[in-house]
Amino acid sequence: MIKRLKDFSELVAFEHTIFSAPFMLIALLCASMQKNHSLWFGTSLLLLCALALIFARNFAMSVNRYVDRDIDSKNIRTKNRPSVDGRVSPKMMRILILGNALGFVVVSYFINTLAFSLSIPFLLILGFYSYMKRFSYLAHIVLGLSLGLAPIAGSIAVLGEIPLWCVALSLGVLFWVAGFDLLYSLQDMEFDKKEGLHSIPSIFGAKKTLLISRIFHLLTLIFWGIFLALFGCGEIAYVGLGLCAMILGYEQYLVSKDFAHIPKAFFVSNGYLGFVFLVMMILDLVME
């Protein structure tokens, strides 16, 4: 049983939850301050949002691994994934897809009416990403949109609406994720060319990909700055934005210096960024 759970965790890359979770929490906290003038929005809502996030991620990753298992079997970097080497069967992946989709819809029902109404459209966006690279290099943007739904969901859970500050926060997440996905995709540039897959690195080359990634990360900082301004954040939050800028700059430096640093830039730098921003936002909201 423990081995099976480890295989499932590897299949859905559960550790990648660190990318979206901090931004859902930022939206939850900001929405609570707007509505309740308090950081705390309730234990039950926190548990429901955590379940929704887990179900959504598990659904998205299960779809991705199921759809891509033929591609992954040809790629040296991915041929040992549980979806390829037989540790998790196609039948089990279909069960995971349906089970997590149902779990997400049910949890959304208990959050509020708007969350329930948008649960199916959200799932369609999350599942659509897995097909994009077969016909469009905009897959990086769709991946960014998928993670950008996390703060949107947080705002909906507390407010039952999507304010402008949350849109700006989500757009920042979109370009942040798309930017680091471009760097990560450099590892598969030659493979994508060989297999006829659509990605920005395979179509535009490494040099232009690095430039586009930098533009995306610049847009990230701009949209997060707009978010802070719209919400009326204080100096501590802007210090947090400055720290995020430093982390993104370090990530870009690592990859431009040597593509062998891509895994470190992807997991370490981006793993810290969300939590740094979250901690600084909490401090700012408390001090205000």
Side-chain angles (χ1 to χ4, degrees):
M1 180 60 70
I2 293 176
K3 183 179 183 301
R4 180 65 63 88
L5 289 174
K6 287 182 178 179
D7 290 338
F8 287 159
S9 177
E10 184 180 344
L11 177 78
V12 300
F14 190 76
E15 67 276 9
H16 290 184
T17 308
I18 62 173
F19 297 141
S20 53
F23 291 95
M24 173 181 272
L25 280 169
I26 288 172
L28 285 166
L29 294 170
C30 289
S32 182
M33 286 295 292
Q34 179 176 318
K35 181 179 181 180
N36 307 317
H37 304 289
S38 168
L39 284 179
W40 189 233
F41 44 86
T43 304
S44 60
L45 189 57
L46 176 62
L47 292 175
L48 286 171
C49 288
L51 284 173
L53 180 63
I54 291 170
F55 281 134
R57 279 212 71 264
N58 287 351
F59 167 80
M61 292 302 298
S62 295
V63 170
N64 182 261
R65 297 297 188 251
Y66 180 76
V67 171
D68 281 358
R69 63 192 191 281
D70 59 328
I71 297 172
D72 290 343
S73 65
K74 302 175 185 178
N75 191 334
I76 296 175
R77 188 178 62 82
T78 59
K79 66 179 183 180
N80 293 321
R81 285 177 173 171
S83 52
V84 177
D85 62 17
R87 282 178 287 159
V88 180
S89 67
K91 179 181 179 181
M92 183 55 66
M93 282 186 278
R94 290 194 293 269
I95 293 173
L96 286 170
I97 291 168
L98 293 174
N100 282 288
L102 179 60
F104 180 72
V105 173
V106 170
V107 169
S108 298
Y109 174 80
F110 286 102
I111 293 176
N112 58 42
T113 302
L114 182 57
F116 179 61
S117 300
L118 292 176
S119 59
I120 298 299
F122 274 30
L123 289 176
L124 291 175
I125 292 172
L126 293 174
F128 183 58
Y129 159 71
S130 299
Y131 295 93
M132 279 293 291
K133 62 185 174 185
R134 297 171 186 268
F135 60 86
S136 173
Y137 60 79
L138 295 179
H140 311 281
I141 298 293
V142 177
L143 178 62
L145 174 62
S146 297
L147 273 73
L149 294 176
I152 294 287
S155 173
I156 289 173
V158 176
L159 299 174
E161 61 182 30
I162 308 170
L164 280 177
W165 61 258
C166 187
V167 174
L169 175 61
S170 295
L171 285 172
V173 173
L174 185 159
F175 285 108
W176 168 54
V177 173
F180 72 65
D181 187 56
L182 286 177
L183 300 180
Y184 193 72
S185 297
L186 287 167
Q187 298 176 104
D188 296 328
M189 181 170 59
E190 296 304 322
F191 176 81
D192 289 348
K193 289 179 181 178
K194 179 181 177 182
E195 295 296 321
L197 298 174
H198 297 268
S199 68
I200 286 178
S202 67
I203 294 175
F204 296 100
K207 187 175 180 180
K208 290 183 178 179
T209 296
L210 289 171
L211 175 60
I212 295 170
S213 176
R214 290 166 187 166
I215 292 172
F216 280 2
H217 281 168
L218 177 60
L219 289 172
T220 294
L221 298 172
I222 291 172
F223 279 114
W224 284 345
I226 293 172
F227 152 64
L228 296 181
L230 288 173
F231 195 76
C233 293
E235 294 178 357
I236 298 176
Y238 283 97
V239 171
L241 180 62
L243 292 174
C244 289
M246 292 173 62
I247 293 172
L248 290 176
Y250 177 66
E251 176 182 10
Q252 293 288 342
Y253 166 75
L254 279 179
V255 176
S256 64
K257 186 177 180 181
D258 190 339
F259 286 179
H261 294 150
I262 289 175
K264 179 181 179 181
F266 179 75
F267 293 108
V268 179
S269 298
N270 294 302
Y272 282 125
L273 184 146
F275 284 102
V276 167
F277 202 15
L278 172 63
V279 169
M280 298 304 286
M281 281 299 302
I282 291 174
L283 291 174
D284 188 78
L285 292 171
V286 169
M287 295 300 291
E288 287 293 312

